[in-house]
Each structure stands twice: as C-alpha cells, then as structure tokens.
Amino acid sequence: MLREVAADIAPADFAEARRACQPIVLRGAASALPVTQAAVGVESLCRYLRGFDNGRTAQAFVGDPAIGGRYAYGDQPDGFNFSRETLGLGAALDRIARAAADPHQPSVYCGSLPAEDHLPGFAEANPMALVPEGMLPRLWIGNASTIACHYDRFDNLACVIAGERRFTLYPPDAIGDLYVGPIDHTMAGQPVSLAATAASQDPRYPRFAAARALALTVTLHPGDALYLPKLWWHQVEATAPFNLLMNYWWDDFASGPDSPYTALLLAMTTLAERPPAERAAWRAFFDHYAFRPDGHPLAHLPPERHGILADSRENRGRIRAFVMQLLRGG
C-alpha cells in the first residue's frame, strides 16, 4: 500500500521521509500553483503556457489514432510504433488541443521539456518548496497516452497539473520478472519492460506474474503529486484528452560527481561473462565493501585507522582519481 502524507508537510520532514526510498503520495501538493489554477480548461492552460513560450523547438512523439496513445516498440523502420517531429511549444499545444477535441487526429506527446529552456520565468512563477533548492521543473504535455514501464536514475517528484495520471509501480527488485528491453535502443532514454504492457498471461513472459503481484497503482488528480525514488519501475497512463504533468529530478543522496549507474555499466563489462564461481567471489567483495550489510568494512578498527575508507569528500576524491588512473591504463 502506498504511503500518503499531508500536502503541507514541512520540507525537512519530507526529506526525512524520503530516506525510506519508498513512493509517497502527496494529495494537493501542487494545487495552489498558478499553472494548476490556470488549468481549469484547455484554452486557459494553453494561454498561460504561451505567456512564457520563447519559441524554442523540441522533439514530439506523434502517434496514429490506431495506437490509442500507447507509444511502444513496433514495426516501423526505426522499431517504434510512432514517429518523431520537431515542434515549437505553440504548435505542439495547437495540435494537442485539436486531437483532444477530435480522437481521429494523431495524438501528440511532448515529454521532458526543461522549463528554463522553453518557458523562461515559469519555474519562478510556480515554486515547489518540497524539492531541494535549485531543482527546476520539466513539463510533459500531450493527449491520452500510455508510457511504457521504465525506471529513472534520479529521484522524482511528479505533479499532475491537468488531466489525470495513473501510475503502476513495481519495486526495483522486480527487474528480473519484467522482461526488460535493450538498454541502448529505447524510446526516450531508459529501457522499458516488455511484459508490463503485453496481453495478460502472455506466454512469452511467464515470470511476469511474480512482478504483477507486487504492483502498486495510484491515480493522481490535478494538484496531486507522487514522489518516486530512483530505480522504481513505473508505467504512466495519462487518461484525459489533454494532460500536463510537471516533474523534478534530482539525486537525493549523491556523495560525489559520479552516478551509481556508471559503476553498474563498468561492472557489466568486467564481471558478467566471468565463471559463476568467480562472480560469486566478487559478489562477496561488493557486498562487503559497497553494500555493507554488516556495516563498515573496517568497523573493527578505530576510525583514525580507516584510511581511504574513512567517509570524507577528500577520500572519495582519492578513490575516484585512482579509478580514473586505472581506466587510463596507469
């Protein structure tokens, strides 16, 4: 069951709640924002957004009415069931509004638009106190759509501004039962689950039943928000003819300039094809030094003898420099 907290939770209390790395629903957290207030109708919302539009173009997904807004892999030459077009925000809004009024029109979806690039002044006019200072919003605008089940490498606060969003969530450890597609041939940067959008009991994905049993579903209305920790899988359905979501991404627990994903990629290239017994040996070392189920690996020594494993920015920098030297063949 998803945890819900009050929309007026103090930022410090919300930061503490995030340490559990579990999704959190915040009903009404974005309801007082000017953009949400403007979203009483398609025309008024479009007028509000055009007031910030600087004319910069972005890539949009355009789907035939037959796909029903389910952007996914397909039989097109590029392997997807939709096309991509470069549109200015004003033109995209016009086409989204037309498709909202006429379901026979191609659907349009513009995702992950950085507000500071396309709508200068928007972030300042719509501040969100619950995110860390300096984090800026992105906008996701379109017709009814289903975005395939994927994960993000950053923590995420997603705020519904117009329409409704239905999120279906799976925990990170469901990855083996989700039948994930390629990591380098993706729709929008992240690999997706092939099983989550397949027909029920598809024989190609027998293990998906275990993931389905773990699924959490929540519907967000205008003004509602959802905190998603990094690596949580999520399928997102925008169910109204015209939808707008605003989100923020950040790394809540960064301890340096590098992402854990970088370590994962390097581990795949160095460990995946080694014999099972050697992989098991390296797993023990990763657990001991990186995942630390039994605590700090040098807890049996006084802190002043922890050397480079003492927790400090300087020591993390030394380890990073050593790794860079190794990668350069030094």
Side-chain angles (χ1 to χ4, degrees):
M1 183 175 181
L2 284 169
R3 178 183 179 185
E4 295 200 16
V5 301
D8 60 354
I9 185 173
D13 292 336
F14 182 47
E16 181 61 28
R18 297 196 302 268
R19 295 192 64 83
C21 297
Q22 295 288 318
I24 302 172
V25 177
L26 303 99
R27 298 288 183 190
S31 59
L33 297 179
V35 64
T36 311
Q37 297 292 310
V40 294
V42 173
E43 290 186 9
S44 61
L45 177 57
C46 289
R47 184 165 55 248
Y48 182 82
L49 295 175
R50 286 192 177 96
F52 297 95
D53 181 18
N54 64 2
R56 186 168 179 170
T57 59
Q59 189 178 87
F61 291 1
V62 180
D64 187 274
I67 72 170
R70 300 179 73 87
Y71 302 104
Y73 291 107
D75 298 325
Q76 300 282 355
D78 63 356
F80 302 113
N81 70 349
F82 57 90
S83 61
R84 304 172 195 258
E85 294 186 28
T86 299
L87 299 172
L89 180 61
L93 290 172
D94 288 341
R95 290 178 61 173
I96 294 168
R98 287 201 299 271
D102 180 3
H104 297 97
Q105 294 286 324
S107 63
V108 178
Y109 173 75
C110 294
S112 195
L113 300 178
E116 73 272 23
D117 292 343
H118 298 270
L119 303 169
F122 176 90
E124 293 76 9
N126 294 274
M128 174 54 68
L130 292 177
V131 300
E133 186 176 357
M135 297 300 103
L136 297 173
R138 292 172 177 263
L139 301 182
W140 310 72
I141 312 169
N143 302 118
S145 62
T146 298
I147 303 305
C149 182
H150 65 285
Y151 68 91
D152 296 317
R153 300 198 298 268
F154 294 95
D155 303 287
N156 182 8
L157 184 69
C159 307
V160 172
I161 305 302
E164 292 183 348
R165 285 292 205 285
R166 182 165 56 242
F167 285 77
T168 303
L169 313 179
Y170 304 89
D173 59 7
I175 183 171
D177 299 321
L178 289 172
Y179 295 87
V180 179
I183 67 172
D184 58 343
H185 180 61
T186 67
M187 284 171 274
Q190 295 297 95
V192 303
S193 164
L194 303 179
T197 52
S200 179
Q201 299 182 343
D202 189 314
R204 294 173 297 173
Y205 312 121
R207 291 173 53 188
F208 179 62
R212 186 188 294 113
L214 301 175
L216 300 171
T217 302
V218 62
T219 298
L220 302 184
H221 306 282
D224 292 342
L226 173 66
Y227 167 70
L228 270 176
K230 62 177 68 70
L231 304 185
W232 270 77
W233 294 87
H234 49 288
Q235 176 178 294
V236 189
E237 300 166 80
T239 58
F242 191 104
N243 301 271
L244 170 60
L245 180 137
M246 176 177 73
N247 93 302
Y248 299 82
W249 276 320
W250 72 98
D251 187 350
D252 231 352
F253 309 110
S255 57
D258 302 308
S259 163
Y261 188 69
T262 304
L264 175 64
L265 291 176
L266 188 58
M268 285 192 288
T269 66
T270 59
L271 294 173
E273 303 304 324
R274 292 177 182 267
E278 184 177 343
R279 293 203 307 271
W282 279 113
R283 182 183 297 114
F285 273 64
F286 270 69
D287 280 344
H288 184 70
Y289 284 106
F291 298 108
R292 303 182 177 184
D294 301 315
H296 195 282
L298 294 180
H300 53 283
L301 296 176
E304 62 270 17
R305 294 184 59 191
H306 285 186
I308 201 171
L309 294 186
D311 185 16
S312 72
R313 177 184 295 181
E314 291 74 19
N315 282 335
R316 288 191 292 271
R318 290 188 185 100
I319 293 174
R320 186 175 189 270
F322 182 52
V323 170
M324 296 298 290
Q325 181 180 353
L326 291 174
L327 290 174
R328 288 193 296 266

